[in-house]
Amino acid sequence: NRPFQIPTFDAVVVSPDVLERYVGIYSIAGTPAKMTVIRDGATLYIKAGDEQSSGVPLEATAENKFTIGPGTAFEFDVEKSLLIITRGDAEMVFTKEK
């Protein structure tokens, strides 16, 4: 008998022009950690480092927020060239390489 919010499962459509701004290689300074973001049509894919696979598709939850399932969220900050990955309470901040 406590208040709660029902999650929405509606797909969010983000235009390819907006998605293209997120494409690139992101890294954490001083570490070997890298993430590569690519676009195929209207879908973004993310992969670790220079992995040769096509990557894991990201599902949009807002124009700049994505998920790959419960517990893992991706947020792009174009102004600051950042990719913020949140898993549970842990947050990793990647900077887009020029």
Side-chain angles (χ1 to χ4, degrees), residues 10-37:
D10 297 334
V12 174
V13 178
V14 181
S15 78
D17 291 338
V18 171
L19 295 177
E20 191 62 35
R21 297 186 301 183
Y22 307 142
V23 171
I25 298 172
Y26 296 81
S27 61
I28 298 176
T31 73
K34 287 190 178 198
M35 299 299 277
T36 301
V37 177

PDB file of all heavy atoms in Angstrom, residues 10-37:
ATOM      1  N   ASP A  10       7.096   2.125 -23.728  1.00  0.00           N
ATOM      2  CA  ASP A  10       6.950   2.663 -25.077  1.00  0.00           C
ATOM      3  C   ASP A  10       8.321   2.948 -25.669  1.00  0.00           C
ATOM      4  O   ASP A  10       9.196   3.505 -24.999  1.00  0.00           O
ATOM      5  CB  ASP A  10       6.130   3.960 -25.064  1.00  0.00           C
ATOM      6  CG  ASP A  10       4.704   3.733 -24.586  1.00  0.00           C
ATOM      7  OD1 ASP A  10       4.217   2.601 -24.740  1.00  0.00           O
ATOM      8  OD2 ASP A  10       4.103   4.676 -24.055  1.00  0.00           O
ATOM      9  N   ALA A  11       8.519   2.565 -26.900  1.00  0.00           N
ATOM     10  CA  ALA A  11       9.783   2.843 -27.584  1.00  0.00           C
ATOM     11  C   ALA A  11       9.852   4.321 -27.941  1.00  0.00           C
ATOM     12  O   ALA A  11       8.862   4.925 -28.335  1.00  0.00           O
ATOM     13  CB  ALA A  11       9.896   1.994 -28.833  1.00  0.00           C
ATOM     14  N   VAL A  12      11.023   4.897 -27.779  1.00  0.00           N
ATOM     15  CA  VAL A  12      11.258   6.291 -28.140  1.00  0.00           C
ATOM     16  C   VAL A  12      12.016   6.290 -29.462  1.00  0.00           C
ATOM     17  O   VAL A  12      13.005   5.573 -29.611  1.00  0.00           O
ATOM     18  CB  VAL A  12      12.089   7.006 -27.048  1.00  0.00           C
ATOM     19  CG1 VAL A  12      12.455   8.402 -27.470  1.00  0.00           C
ATOM     20  CG2 VAL A  12      11.327   7.015 -25.730  1.00  0.00           C
ATOM     21  N   VAL A  13      11.548   7.071 -30.416  1.00  0.00           N
ATOM     22  CA  VAL A  13      12.204   7.158 -31.717  1.00  0.00           C
ATOM     23  C   VAL A  13      13.067   8.413 -31.740  1.00  0.00           C
ATOM     24  O   VAL A  13      12.586   9.505 -31.471  1.00  0.00           O
ATOM     25  CB  VAL A  13      11.160   7.196 -32.861  1.00  0.00           C
ATOM     26  CG1 VAL A  13      11.854   7.345 -34.198  1.00  0.00           C
ATOM     27  CG2 VAL A  13      10.301   5.948 -32.829  1.00  0.00           C
ATOM     28  N   VAL A  14      14.352   8.225 -32.050  1.00  0.00           N
ATOM     29  CA  VAL A  14      15.297   9.336 -32.135  1.00  0.00           C
ATOM     30  C   VAL A  14      15.761   9.413 -33.580  1.00  0.00           C
ATOM     31  O   VAL A  14      16.126   8.402 -34.183  1.00  0.00           O
ATOM     32  CB  VAL A  14      16.498   9.129 -31.181  1.00  0.00           C
ATOM     33  CG1 VAL A  14      17.455  10.298 -31.254  1.00  0.00           C
ATOM     34  CG2 VAL A  14      16.020   8.909 -29.746  1.00  0.00           C
ATOM     35  N   SER A  15      15.766  10.603 -34.140  1.00  0.00           N
ATOM     36  CA  SER A  15      16.122  10.761 -35.554  1.00  0.00           C
ATOM     37  C   SER A  15      17.584  10.384 -35.798  1.00  0.00           C
ATOM     38  O   SER A  15      18.439  10.572 -34.933  1.00  0.00           O
ATOM     39  CB  SER A  15      15.881  12.197 -36.008  1.00  0.00           C
ATOM     40  OG  SER A  15      16.919  13.035 -35.563  1.00  0.00           O
ATOM     41  N   PRO A  16      17.878   9.845 -36.986  1.00  0.00           N
ATOM     42  CA  PRO A  16      19.257   9.495 -37.330  1.00  0.00           C
ATOM     43  C   PRO A  16      20.223  10.678 -37.218  1.00  0.00           C
ATOM     44  O   PRO A  16      21.383  10.491 -36.869  1.00  0.00           O
ATOM     45  CB  PRO A  16      19.149   8.994 -38.773  1.00  0.00           C
ATOM     46  CG  PRO A  16      17.757   8.457 -38.862  1.00  0.00           C
ATOM     47  CD  PRO A  16      16.935   9.395 -38.016  1.00  0.00           C
ATOM     48  N   ASP A  17      19.752  11.905 -37.498  1.00  0.00           N
ATOM     49  CA  ASP A  17      20.616  13.084 -37.382  1.00  0.00           C
ATOM     50  C   ASP A  17      21.076  13.286 -35.938  1.00  0.00           C
ATOM     51  O   ASP A  17      22.236  13.620 -35.688  1.00  0.00           O
ATOM     52  CB  ASP A  17      19.892  14.348 -37.868  1.00  0.00           C
ATOM     53  CG  ASP A  17      19.667  14.330 -39.370  1.00  0.00           C
ATOM     54  OD1 ASP A  17      20.390  13.610 -40.081  1.00  0.00           O
ATOM     55  OD2 ASP A  17      18.756  15.046 -39.833  1.00  0.00           O
ATOM     56  N   VAL A  18      20.178  13.083 -34.992  1.00  0.00           N
ATOM     57  CA  VAL A  18      20.528  13.217 -33.578  1.00  0.00           C
ATOM     58  C   VAL A  18      21.449  12.073 -33.166  1.00  0.00           C
ATOM     59  O   VAL A  18      22.459  12.286 -32.492  1.00  0.00           O
ATOM     60  CB  VAL A  18      19.264  13.255 -32.691  1.00  0.00           C
ATOM     61  CG1 VAL A  18      19.620  13.183 -31.212  1.00  0.00           C
ATOM     62  CG2 VAL A  18      18.445  14.508 -32.972  1.00  0.00           C
ATOM     63  N   LEU A  19      21.129  10.854 -33.592  1.00  0.00           N
ATOM     64  CA  LEU A  19      21.962   9.704 -33.258  1.00  0.00           C
ATOM     65  C   LEU A  19      23.384   9.872 -33.763  1.00  0.00           C
ATOM     66  O   LEU A  19      24.341   9.463 -33.099  1.00  0.00           O
ATOM     67  CB  LEU A  19      21.352   8.419 -33.831  1.00  0.00           C
ATOM     68  CG  LEU A  19      20.008   7.985 -33.263  1.00  0.00           C
ATOM     69  CD1 LEU A  19      19.525   6.732 -33.989  1.00  0.00           C
ATOM     70  CD2 LEU A  19      20.079   7.750 -31.768  1.00  0.00           C
ATOM     71  N   GLU A  20      23.530  10.470 -34.925  1.00  0.00           N
ATOM     72  CA  GLU A  20      24.861  10.646 -35.528  1.00  0.00           C
ATOM     73  C   GLU A  20      25.781  11.477 -34.627  1.00  0.00           C
ATOM     74  O   GLU A  20      26.994  11.281 -34.622  1.00  0.00           O
ATOM     75  CB  GLU A  20      24.725  11.290 -36.907  1.00  0.00           C
ATOM     76  CG  GLU A  20      25.991  11.275 -37.724  1.00  0.00           C
ATOM     77  CD  GLU A  20      26.513   9.869 -38.048  1.00  0.00           C
ATOM     78  OE1 GLU A  20      25.706   8.937 -38.254  1.00  0.00           O
ATOM     79  OE2 GLU A  20      27.746   9.704 -38.106  1.00  0.00           O
ATOM     80  N   ARG A  21      25.214  12.373 -33.833  1.00  0.00           N
ATOM     81  CA  ARG A  21      26.025  13.200 -32.923  1.00  0.00           C
ATOM     82  C   ARG A  21      26.679  12.362 -31.827  1.00  0.00           C
ATOM     83  O   ARG A  21      27.673  12.770 -31.239  1.00  0.00           O
ATOM     84  CB  ARG A  21      25.175  14.294 -32.273  1.00  0.00           C
ATOM     85  CG  ARG A  21      24.604  15.274 -33.275  1.00  0.00           C
ATOM     86  CD  ARG A  21      23.897  16.409 -32.607  1.00  0.00           C
ATOM     87  NE  ARG A  21      22.794  15.920 -31.767  1.00  0.00           N
ATOM     88  CZ  ARG A  21      21.963  16.684 -31.100  1.00  0.00           C
ATOM     89  NH1 ARG A  21      22.094  17.989 -31.138  1.00  0.00           N
ATOM     90  NH2 ARG A  21      20.994  16.166 -30.375  1.00  0.00           N
ATOM     91  N   TYR A  22      26.142  11.193 -31.548  1.00  0.00           N
ATOM     92  CA  TYR A  22      26.660  10.335 -30.477  1.00  0.00           C
ATOM     93  C   TYR A  22      27.724   9.354 -30.963  1.00  0.00           C
ATOM     94  O   TYR A  22      28.425   8.753 -30.156  1.00  0.00           O
ATOM     95  CB  TYR A  22      25.523   9.549 -29.826  1.00  0.00           C
ATOM     96  CG  TYR A  22      24.365  10.400 -29.360  1.00  0.00           C
ATOM     97  CD1 TYR A  22      23.057   9.958 -29.496  1.00  0.00           C
ATOM     98  CD2 TYR A  22      24.556  11.647 -28.790  1.00  0.00           C
ATOM     99  CE1 TYR A  22      21.984  10.722 -29.068  1.00  0.00           C
ATOM    100  CE2 TYR A  22      23.496  12.427 -28.363  1.00  0.00           C
ATOM    101  CZ  TYR A  22      22.211  11.955 -28.502  1.00  0.00           C
ATOM    102  OH  TYR A  22      21.151  12.713 -28.077  1.00  0.00           O
ATOM    103  N   VAL A  23      27.843   9.189 -32.265  1.00  0.00           N
ATOM    104  CA  VAL A  23      28.783   8.227 -32.844  1.00  0.00           C
ATOM    105  C   VAL A  23      30.216   8.662 -32.562  1.00  0.00           C
ATOM    106  O   VAL A  23      30.566   9.837 -32.693  1.00  0.00           O
ATOM    107  CB  VAL A  23      28.542   8.093 -34.364  1.00  0.00           C
ATOM    108  CG1 VAL A  23      29.636   7.281 -35.027  1.00  0.00           C
ATOM    109  CG2 VAL A  23      27.173   7.481 -34.625  1.00  0.00           C
ATOM    110  N   GLY A  24      31.049   7.703 -32.155  1.00  0.00           N
ATOM    111  CA  GLY A  24      32.462   7.996 -31.922  1.00  0.00           C
ATOM    112  C   GLY A  24      33.079   7.026 -30.937  1.00  0.00           C
ATOM    113  O   GLY A  24      32.458   6.044 -30.517  1.00  0.00           O
ATOM    114  N   ILE A  25      34.319   7.326 -30.572  1.00  0.00           N
ATOM    115  CA  ILE A  25      35.048   6.524 -29.600  1.00  0.00           C
ATOM    116  C   ILE A  25      35.141   7.337 -28.315  1.00  0.00           C
ATOM    117  O   ILE A  25      35.525   8.511 -28.340  1.00  0.00           O
ATOM    118  CB  ILE A  25      36.442   6.146 -30.123  1.00  0.00           C
ATOM    119  CG1 ILE A  25      36.306   5.306 -31.388  1.00  0.00           C
ATOM    120  CG2 ILE A  25      37.246   5.406 -29.055  1.00  0.00           C
ATOM    121  CD1 ILE A  25      37.615   5.034 -32.102  1.00  0.00           C
ATOM    122  N   TYR A  26      34.789   6.707 -27.214  1.00  0.00           N
ATOM    123  CA  TYR A  26      34.796   7.348 -25.904  1.00  0.00           C
ATOM    124  C   TYR A  26      35.794   6.624 -25.018  1.00  0.00           C
ATOM    125  O   TYR A  26      35.927   5.405 -25.083  1.00  0.00           O
ATOM    126  CB  TYR A  26      33.400   7.281 -25.270  1.00  0.00           C
ATOM    127  CG  TYR A  26      32.344   8.042 -26.034  1.00  0.00           C
ATOM    128  CD1 TYR A  26      31.731   7.494 -27.155  1.00  0.00           C
ATOM    129  CD2 TYR A  26      31.955   9.312 -25.634  1.00  0.00           C
ATOM    130  CE1 TYR A  26      30.763   8.187 -27.857  1.00  0.00           C
ATOM    131  CE2 TYR A  26      30.981  10.014 -26.325  1.00  0.00           C
ATOM    132  CZ  TYR A  26      30.388   9.449 -27.442  1.00  0.00           C
ATOM    133  OH  TYR A  26      29.425  10.146 -28.123  1.00  0.00           O
ATOM    134  N   SER A  27      36.514   7.370 -24.183  1.00  0.00           N
ATOM    135  CA  SER A  27      37.499   6.752 -23.305  1.00  0.00           C
ATOM    136  C   SER A  27      37.513   7.455 -21.946  1.00  0.00           C
ATOM    137  O   SER A  27      36.970   8.544 -21.789  1.00  0.00           O
ATOM    138  CB  SER A  27      38.892   6.818 -23.941  1.00  0.00           C
ATOM    139  OG  SER A  27      39.272   8.164 -24.141  1.00  0.00           O
ATOM    140  N   ILE A  28      38.150   6.782 -20.983  1.00  0.00           N
ATOM    141  CA  ILE A  28      38.371   7.368 -19.669  1.00  0.00           C
ATOM    142  C   ILE A  28      39.854   7.681 -19.585  1.00  0.00           C
ATOM    143  O   ILE A  28      40.692   6.784 -19.718  1.00  0.00           O
ATOM    144  CB  ILE A  28      37.956   6.405 -18.537  1.00  0.00           C
ATOM    145  CG1 ILE A  28      36.462   6.095 -18.630  1.00  0.00           C
ATOM    146  CG2 ILE A  28      38.298   7.003 -17.176  1.00  0.00           C
ATOM    147  CD1 ILE A  28      35.976   5.080 -17.610  1.00  0.00           C
ATOM    148  N   ALA A  29      40.183   8.957 -19.386  1.00  0.00           N
ATOM    149  CA  ALA A  29      41.580   9.395 -19.349  1.00  0.00           C
ATOM    150  C   ALA A  29      42.371   8.599 -18.317  1.00  0.00           C
ATOM    151  O   ALA A  29      41.896   8.336 -17.212  1.00  0.00           O
ATOM    152  CB  ALA A  29      41.655  10.886 -19.034  1.00  0.00           C
ATOM    153  N   GLY A  30      43.581   8.203 -18.710  1.00  0.00           N
ATOM    154  CA  GLY A  30      44.475   7.495 -17.807  1.00  0.00           C
ATOM    155  C   GLY A  30      44.162   6.018 -17.633  1.00  0.00           C
ATOM    156  O   GLY A  30      44.781   5.353 -16.810  1.00  0.00           O
ATOM    157  N   THR A  31      43.197   5.503 -18.399  1.00  0.00           N
ATOM    158  CA  THR A  31      42.863   4.081 -18.329  1.00  0.00           C
ATOM    159  C   THR A  31      42.757   3.529 -19.753  1.00  0.00           C
ATOM    160  O   THR A  31      42.586   4.294 -20.703  1.00  0.00           O
ATOM    161  CB  THR A  31      41.503   3.832 -17.619  1.00  0.00           C
ATOM    162  OG1 THR A  31      40.445   4.240 -18.492  1.00  0.00           O
ATOM    163  CG2 THR A  31      41.407   4.576 -16.307  1.00  0.00           C
ATOM    164  N   PRO A  32      42.810   2.222 -19.900  1.00  0.00           N
ATOM    165  CA  PRO A  32      42.634   1.642 -21.238  1.00  0.00           C
ATOM    166  C   PRO A  32      41.160   1.492 -21.627  1.00  0.00           C
ATOM    167  O   PRO A  32      40.848   1.005 -22.714  1.00  0.00           O
ATOM    168  CB  PRO A  32      43.309   0.281 -21.124  1.00  0.00           C
ATOM    169  CG  PRO A  32      43.203  -0.075 -19.682  1.00  0.00           C
ATOM    170  CD  PRO A  32      43.268   1.241 -18.927  1.00  0.00           C
ATOM    171  N   ALA A  33      40.241   1.915 -20.756  1.00  0.00           N
ATOM    172  CA  ALA A  33      38.804   1.736 -21.012  1.00  0.00           C
ATOM    173  C   ALA A  33      38.351   2.562 -22.210  1.00  0.00           C
ATOM    174  O   ALA A  33      38.569   3.770 -22.266  1.00  0.00           O
ATOM    175  CB  ALA A  33      38.004   2.127 -19.776  1.00  0.00           C
ATOM    176  N   LYS A  34      37.719   1.888 -23.175  1.00  0.00           N
ATOM    177  CA  LYS A  34      37.177   2.553 -24.364  1.00  0.00           C
ATOM    178  C   LYS A  34      35.852   1.924 -24.733  1.00  0.00           C
ATOM    179  O   LYS A  34      35.650   0.730 -24.569  1.00  0.00           O
ATOM    180  CB  LYS A  34      38.124   2.428 -25.557  1.00  0.00           C
ATOM    181  CG  LYS A  34      39.343   3.278 -25.472  1.00  0.00           C
ATOM    182  CD  LYS A  34      40.089   3.289 -26.782  1.00  0.00           C
ATOM    183  CE  LYS A  34      41.282   4.205 -26.631  1.00  0.00           C
ATOM    184  NZ  LYS A  34      41.822   4.629 -27.872  1.00  0.00           N
ATOM    185  N   MET A  35      34.968   2.754 -25.262  1.00  0.00           N
ATOM    186  CA  MET A  35      33.689   2.303 -25.789  1.00  0.00           C
ATOM    187  C   MET A  35      33.532   2.923 -27.168  1.00  0.00           C
ATOM    188  O   MET A  35      33.833   4.103 -27.357  1.00  0.00           O
ATOM    189  CB  MET A  35      32.526   2.742 -24.897  1.00  0.00           C
ATOM    190  CG  MET A  35      32.590   2.199 -23.476  1.00  0.00           C
ATOM    191  SD  MET A  35      32.552   0.416 -23.387  1.00  0.00           S
ATOM    192  CE  MET A  35      30.824   0.112 -23.493  1.00  0.00           C
ATOM    193  N   THR A  36      33.063   2.140 -28.128  1.00  0.00           N
ATOM    194  CA  THR A  36      32.826   2.626 -29.482  1.00  0.00           C
ATOM    195  C   THR A  36      31.325   2.625 -29.740  1.00  0.00           C
ATOM    196  O   THR A  36      30.647   1.629 -29.491  1.00  0.00           O
ATOM    197  CB  THR A  36      33.537   1.733 -30.516  1.00  0.00           C
ATOM    198  OG1 THR A  36      34.939   1.720 -30.231  1.00  0.00           O
ATOM    199  CG2 THR A  36      33.310   2.247 -31.928  1.00  0.00           C
ATOM    200  N   VAL A  37      30.817   3.762 -30.220  1.00  0.00           N
ATOM    201  CA  VAL A  37      29.400   3.900 -30.537  1.00  0.00           C
ATOM    202  C   VAL A  37      29.282   4.069 -32.045  1.00  0.00           C
ATOM    203  O   VAL A  37      29.942   4.924 -32.637  1.00  0.00           O
ATOM    204  CB  VAL A  37      28.780   5.119 -29.812  1.00  0.00           C
ATOM    205  CG1 VAL A  37      27.322   5.291 -30.206  1.00  0.00           C
ATOM    206  CG2 VAL A  37      28.916   4.964 -28.300  1.00  0.00           C
TER     207      VAL A  37
END
